[in-house]
């Protein structure tokens, strides 16, 4: 198991930017597929962006392509989500998730992850 702690959420105006960070405990961070997900009130949790071991492969939901960037620093046990041109519809609780893998695979679905952080609120005002 890995412990995940998110930070960087907050209130921002539409068009603004935020950077979320997720720091993981443990010594095998580089063997975890990582992802960012979000859940708005009354909606199901959805994938936002995911990244494989090395960081060379990434996935983005269509709704965030061109605006959000996921990256990881394995030396710091941290994955980031840079969010630009934020819209009110990006308002949600954002969760970091991890899945230990024996091979380098890009996981994109919520159900594929089994370690979750507590979440951080992102609110975008119009």
């Amino acid at each position: 198991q890995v412990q995940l702690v998110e930070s960087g959420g907050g209130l921002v105006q539409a068009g603004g930017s935020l950077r979320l960070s997720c720091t993981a405990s443990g010594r095998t961070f580089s063997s975890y597929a990582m992802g960012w997900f979000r859940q708005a009130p009354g909606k199901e949790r959805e994938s936002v962006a995911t990244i494989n071991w090395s960081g060379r492969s990434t996935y983005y939901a269509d709704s965030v392509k061109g605006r959000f960037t996921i990256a990881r620093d394995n030396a710091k046990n941290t994955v980031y989500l840079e969010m630009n041109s934020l819209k009110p519809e990006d308002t949600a609780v954002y969760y970091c998730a991890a899945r230990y893998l024996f091979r380098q695979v890009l996981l994109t679905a919520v159900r594929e992850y089994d370690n979750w952080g507590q979440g951080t609120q992102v609110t975008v005002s119009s």
Side-chain angles (χ1 to χ4, degrees):
Q1 293 291 328
V2 62
Q3 303 298 318
L4 304 172
V5 179
E6 303 103 331
S7 62
L11 173 64
V12 64
Q13 289 188 332
S17 299
L18 283 174
R19 187 174 83 155
L20 305 183
S21 298
C22 172
T23 300
S25 64
R27 296 174 292 178
T28 58
F29 179 75
S30 59
S31 295
Y32 281 85
M34 301 296 298
W36 285 98
F37 303 82
R38 67 187 181 188
Q39 188 166 17
K43 295 188 176 181
E44 291 188 356
R45 192 168 299 188
E46 63 177 0
S47 302
V48 175
T50 66
I51 191 166
N52 72 342
W53 283 355
S54 66
R56 294 192 186 98
S57 293
T58 56
Y59 158 84
Y60 295 95
D62 287 344
S63 57
V64 306
K65 279 181 182 176
R67 300 188 298 122
F68 290 12
T69 302
I70 189 170
R72 67 190 295 162
D73 185 338
N74 288 340
K76 295 182 178 180
N77 282 16
T78 301
V79 62
Y80 305 97
L81 185 68
E82 185 76 34
M83 305 186 293
N84 297 313
S85 303
L86 282 161
K87 305 175 181 179
E89 51 264 44
D90 294 319
T91 295
V93 176
Y94 282 70
Y95 297 91
C96 172
R99 172 77 180 271
Y100 183 83
L101 295 172
F102 291 101
R103 55 194 177 100
Q104 189 161 198
V105 176
L106 181 65
L107 304 179
T108 62
V110 172
R111 65 181 182 276
E112 295 178 301
Y113 288 80
D114 56 5
N115 293 279
W116 292 86
Q118 298 282 39
T120 184
Q121 177 71 45
V122 171
T123 302
V124 184
S125 64
S126 57

